Structure formats: structure tokens, C-alpha cells
């Protein structure tokens, strides 16, 4: 089963990702804007000062700078400001951040120093406000995503809970939105499935009860014939076959009646698979007749299955009987391994249509879609019992020819 992925969590993550991408986009724009403003307010200002002061310095005129600005030429340049690359520079001297424009004119090198620019503080305030806005945007997106997720997911979870609880009054059926459409579709489908299951249950129960009486009569008549004709082998063998067939049909009816009831209504008890397999092998020995065929229980590690005993007998017995009926020579082997029961035979294998049904594949072209096609009622009944008990039926071809059926118990 794949891991559960919360729709609510995915909605919240989507909002957070959107907030992060949007914030990154605006952060880039803000950084470009701040740097552009810095060029306009600081660098160009220093260039204007240099363009004014340099000619005056060369002409021997006094160069008086506004407060916070200094102009140094050639030998006047302080040692800490020498050797700077041409253009605007941001340096720190004695713990003070300075904007310095370094240049060169006909008389030598010069620097223009801005001592009192508050742009660094402005920059810090701008980036701090943006960081606060980014954090607030993420928190708001988280809260809004959680709100939207709850608004979307909670009605769906209420609807799922009602469906799992098999309630007839599903919520949201009066809602005019998409959730209302989904709820009404669930309600209609649930009603339809309930009606189909009720019809199947009633039909199975009614037919099973109707068949019990004639089967009881047939079994009684066969017992009378067997008791009155002990000296006639032909009549004795025929009456025994009639009795066994009636008994098998009665067992199948009992199984159908059990399957018509809900699993929680059936009494389940631990069943030893080793004892059950050995018992069914012994019961099926008469089916071998005079065929060159052997039936044996090969043992294996015993395990317990908590289930109605009648259903377990029907599942194992039908597999063993089918193998004995349709295998003409060789052997039928029943073995236990890793909480699985295997029935192997050297028969002709499954017909294509029956194989497709067991393997849940599409029926081959030309195959009949009805009937068991040489597998009897047993194989379909085994599949239904396995699904009813939470087990699984698997089929594979036996090496050297034949079939291998596996009932895998959880």
C-alpha cells in the first residue's frame, strides 16, 4: 500500500512554495533597486564633486567641500586611501564605513571621500523591513494554506468517514458545489450496490434453502439403496456416487449460505492447516478410482488460520478434488509453506478462459465468458472464499507440466 499523502499538507506546501518564490522574485527586484538608488545618490554625487573640485585644484583655486565630504589630491591622499581601484569604492577605515571615489587627472591621483553618508543605514533598514515582510508573508501563506486545506479536506474526510461507516445519510448532499455532486454520486452508487448485494444475498439464501430439501431426499434414497444392495457391486458403486455428489452439493450450499452473510456475523475459530490438509487428502482418495494417480499430503510447517471451518474445508477441499478429477495420471501433492497451502498436480493445466479469470487477465479471443470451462464450481467458489477471508488465490504452471494453486493467507 502506498504511503498516505495528505492533501491538506500538499495545499499548505504549495502556498509556502508560492510565497517563497514570490518573495525571492521581489527580493531580487528590491536588491537591484537599492543598488541603483545607491549609484544615483552616492556614486554620481561623488563624481559630480570630483568634476567640480579637480579643475579648481589644478588651477590653484581653493577647494571647499560641503560638510561630510573631503577631496584629497596626490600627496594629500591619506595612506589608508591610497592604491584604491579607479571608480567608486566602499571601504572601512578605523571602524567607519566610507564611500570613496578614486580617480586620476592631469595633475595626479585624487580621492573624494563621503564621511557622513547615511545610505548604509538606509540600506540596512530597507533589507530589514524586507526580511520582516518575507517572514510575515510566509507565516500568512502558512495560515492561509492551512485554512484553505481544512476548508477543502475536512468535508471530504467527513464524507469518507460516513461512507466507511456505511451511513445512509451521507453529508453534503444538499451542497450546490462539486462536493455536493461527489456526495450525491457516492450516495447513488452506495444505494445501487446495497440493492445488488441484497438481491444476491436473498437469491443465494432462497435458492440454497430450496435445494436443501431435494438434496436431503436424494441423500436419504442413496443411503437406503446402499443398505439394501450390499451384494450388488454395480448398484453399490452407483449409490455411493449419488450419495457423495449429494453430500458435495449440500456442502456447497452450506458454503453459499455462509458467504451470503456478513463476515462479522460468522463464528471464526483457529483452524490447523496441517490437520485440514491431511483430512481433505484422505476424503478425496476415493476420487482416484483406478487411475494411475497418487494423492499425498507432503507436510510442511503447520500454521493456524482464524476463519469459519466450513469455508476453510470448502476452499482446500475444492482445490484437492478438482486436481483429482482432472488429473489422469501422475500425482497430486498438497504441501504447506510460509502461511501458504500449495496444491500441485500433473494434469493438463487450466483452460485459457479459466486461467484468465484466476490471473485477472482479459479473456483470450474466442473463449467463453461463462461457465467454468473444465474447473467445476470449485475454482470460482475458492476464489470467492479467499476474497471473503482476506486470502488470495494464485496460479502458476508446474515445471514439467501441470498446475500449482496457492492459497496465501494474511
Amino acid at each position: 500500500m502506498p504511503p498516505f499523502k495528505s492533501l491538506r499538507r500538499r495545499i499548505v506546501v504549495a502556498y509556502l512554495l508560492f510565497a517563497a518564490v514570490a518573495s525571492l522574485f521581489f527580493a531580487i527586484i528590491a536588491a537591484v533597486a537599492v543598488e541603483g538608488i545607491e549609484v544615483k545618490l552616492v556614486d554620481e554625487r561623488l563624481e559630480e564633486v570630483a568634476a567640480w573640485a579637480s579643475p579648481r585644484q589644478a588651477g590653484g583655486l581653493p577647494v571647499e567641500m560641503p560638510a561630510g565630504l573631503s577631496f584629497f589630491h596626490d600627496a594629500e591622499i591619506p595612506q589608508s586611501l591610497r592604491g584604491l581601484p579607479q571608480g567608486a569604492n566602499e571601504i572601512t577605515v578605523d571602524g567607519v564605513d566610507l564611500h570613496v571615489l578614486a580617480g586620476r587627472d592631469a595633475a595626479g591621483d585624487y580621492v573624494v571621500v563621503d564621511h557622513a553618508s547615511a545610505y548604509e543605514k538606509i540600506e540596512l533598514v530597507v533589507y530589514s523591513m524586507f526580511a520582516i515582510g518575507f517572514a510575515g508573508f510566509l507565516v500568512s501563506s502558512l495560515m492561509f494554506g492551512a485554512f484553505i486545506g481544512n476548508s477543502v479536506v475536512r468535508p471530504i474526510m467527513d464524507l469518507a468517514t460516513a461512507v466507511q461507516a456505511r451511513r445512509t445519510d451521507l453529508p453534503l448532499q444538499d451542497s450546490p458545489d462539486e462536493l455536493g455532486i461527489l456526495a450525491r454520486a457516492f450516495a447513488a452508487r452506495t444505494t445501487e450496490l446495497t440493492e445488488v448485494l441484497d438481491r444476491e444475498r436473498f437469491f443465494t439464501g432462497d435458492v440454497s434453502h430450496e435445494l436443501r430439501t431435494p438434496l436431503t431426499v436424494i441423500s436419504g434414497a442413496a443411503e437406503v439403496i446402499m443398505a439394501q444392495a450390499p451384494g450388488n457391486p454395480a448398484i453399490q458403486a452407483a449409490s455411493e456416487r449419488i450419495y457423495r455428489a449429494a453430500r458435495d452439493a449440500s456442502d456447497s450450499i452450506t458454503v453459499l449460505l455462509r458467504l451470503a452473510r456478513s463476515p462479522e456475523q460468522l463464528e471464526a475459530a483457529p483452524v490447523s492447516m496441517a490437520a485440514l490438509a491431511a483430512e481433505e487428502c484422505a476424503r478425496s482418495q476415493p476420487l482416484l478410482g483406478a487411475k494411475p494417480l497418487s494423492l499425498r499430503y507432503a507436510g510442511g510447517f503447520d500454521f493456524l488460520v482464524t476463519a469459519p471451518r466450513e469455508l476453510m474445508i470448502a476452499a482446500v477441499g475444492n482445490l484437492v478434488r478438482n486436481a483429482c478429477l482432472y488429473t489422469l495420471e501422475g500425482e497430486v501433492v498438497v504441501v504447506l509453506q510460509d502461511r501458504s497451502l500449495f496444491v500441485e498436480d500433473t494434469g493438463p493445466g487450466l483452460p485459457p478462459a479459466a486461467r484468465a479469470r484466476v490471473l485477472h487477465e482479459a479473456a483470450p479471443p474466442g473463449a467463453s465468458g461463462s461457465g467454468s470451462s473444465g474447473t467445476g464450481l470449485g475454482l470460482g467458489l475458492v476464489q470467492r472464499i479467499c476474497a471473503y477471508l482476506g486470502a488470495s488465490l494464485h496460479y502458476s504452471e508446474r515445471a514439467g507440466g501441470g498446475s500449482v494453486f496457492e492459497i496465501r493467507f494474511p
Side-chain angles (χ1 to χ4, degrees), residues 241-295:
R241 288 190 62 188
I242 295 173
Y243 179 77
R244 282 199 303 270
R247 186 189 63 184
D248 292 341
S250 179
D251 292 341
S252 297
I253 291 173
T254 300
V255 171
L256 292 175
L257 281 173
R258 295 289 188 271
L259 293 176
R261 301 170 62 184
S262 299
E264 60 270 11
Q265 295 178 349
L266 296 180
E267 295 180 358
V271 178
S272 169
M273 290 305 301
L276 182 61
E279 178 183 339
E280 290 306 309
C281 287
R283 286 182 57 187
S284 299
Q285 288 294 336
L287 299 176
L288 303 180
K291 294 189 293 186
L293 178 66
S294 64
L295 168 62

Side-chain angles (χ1 to χ4, degrees), residues 273-275 277 297-303 334-340 342:
M273 290 305 301
Y297 168 57
F301 183 75
D302 188 21
F303 57 91
V334 180
V335 64
L336 302 178
Q337 182 180 353
D338 297 332
R339 290 196 65 81
S340 293
F342 294 86

Side-chain angles (χ1 to χ4, degrees), residues 48 59-60 94 132 210 215 219 297 305 398 406:
E48 291 175 358
D94 297 332
I132 294 174
E210 290 296 328
L215 285 174
S219 298
Y297 168 57
V305 176
R398 183 176 181 271
E406 176 191 359

Side-chain angles (χ1 to χ4, degrees), residues 35 38 86 154 178 181 211 232 248 278 315 391 401:
E35 294 301 323
E38 180 179 10
Q86 299 289 318
R154 183 179 295 121
E178 290 84 353
I181 296 175
L211 289 176
N232 192 326
D248 292 341

Side-chain angles (χ1 to χ4, degrees), residues 19-301:
V21 172
S23 298
L24 178 62
F25 174 73
F26 286 113
I28 295 174
I29 293 178
V32 172
V34 169
E35 294 301 323
I37 294 173
E38 180 179 10
V39 171
K40 289 291 183 182
L41 294 183
V42 180
D43 297 351
E44 291 185 3
R45 177 169 173 248
L46 294 179
E47 290 174 359
E48 291 175 358
V49 170
W52 174 80
S54 179
R56 293 181 66 84
Q57 177 75 26
L61 299 176
V63 179
E64 296 180 358
M65 292 287 101
L69 291 177
S70 300
F71 179 81
F72 301 102
H73 198 281
D74 206 8
E76 300 175 353
I77 299 177
Q79 191 67 32
S80 59
L81 301 181
R82 295 185 178 185
L84 295 177
Q86 299 289 318
N89 299 273
E90 295 182 18
I91 65 173
T92 301
V93 178
D94 297 332
V96 179
D97 294 330
L98 301 176
H99 281 82
V100 181
L101 175 67
R104 184 177 182 81
D105 56 17
D109 296 329
Y110 67 84
V111 295
V112 182
V113 183
D114 185 354
H115 302 272
S117 175
Y119 193 78
E120 295 297 334
K121 297 180 180 179
I122 297 174
E123 233 180 359
L124 179 61
V125 171
V126 171
Y127 286 129
S128 299
M129 294 300 295
F130 186 81
I132 294 174
F134 174 71
F137 190 30
L138 284 181
V139 172
S140 300
S141 299
L142 177 63
M143 297 174 62
F144 189 63
F147 172 75
I148 295 297
N150 288 331
S151 301
V152 173
V153 174
R154 183 179 295 121
I156 297 177
M157 294 302 298
D158 292 341
L159 182 59
T161 301
V163 172
Q164 290 176 347
R166 300 180 182 179
R167 286 170 47 189
T168 56
D169 55 332
L170 296 181
L172 303 173
Q173 294 191 53
D174 297 330
S175 179
D177 56 11
E178 290 84 353
L179 291 175
I181 296 175
L182 180 63
R184 290 189 289 273
F186 269 126
R189 187 61 174 170
T190 301
T191 301
E192 180 183 349
L193 291 176
T194 301
E195 292 175 354
V196 171
L197 291 175
D198 288 340
R199 286 197 299 267
E200 180 183 359
R201 187 178 298 113
F202 293 148
F203 174 79
T204 304
D206 292 343
V207 171
S208 299
H209 283 299
E210 290 296 328
L211 289 176
R212 277 185 178 279
T213 301
L215 285 174
T216 302
V217 173
I218 294 172
S219 298
E223 290 179 352
V224 171
I225 295 174
M226 285 189 294
Q228 293 180 351
N232 192 326
I235 297 178
Q236 185 77 16
S239 59
E240 288 179 355
R241 288 190 62 188
I242 295 173
Y243 179 77
R244 282 199 303 270
R247 186 189 63 184
D248 292 341
S250 179
D251 292 341
S252 297
I253 291 173
T254 300
V255 171
L256 292 175
L257 281 173
R258 295 289 188 271
L259 293 176
R261 301 170 62 184
S262 299
E264 60 270 11
Q265 295 178 349
L266 296 180
E267 295 180 358
V271 178
S272 169
M273 290 305 301
L276 182 61
E279 178 183 339
E280 290 306 309
C281 287
R283 286 182 57 187
S284 299
Q285 288 294 336
L287 299 176
L288 303 180
K291 294 189 293 186
L293 178 66
S294 64
L295 168 62
R296 62 187 177 90
Y297 168 57
F301 183 75

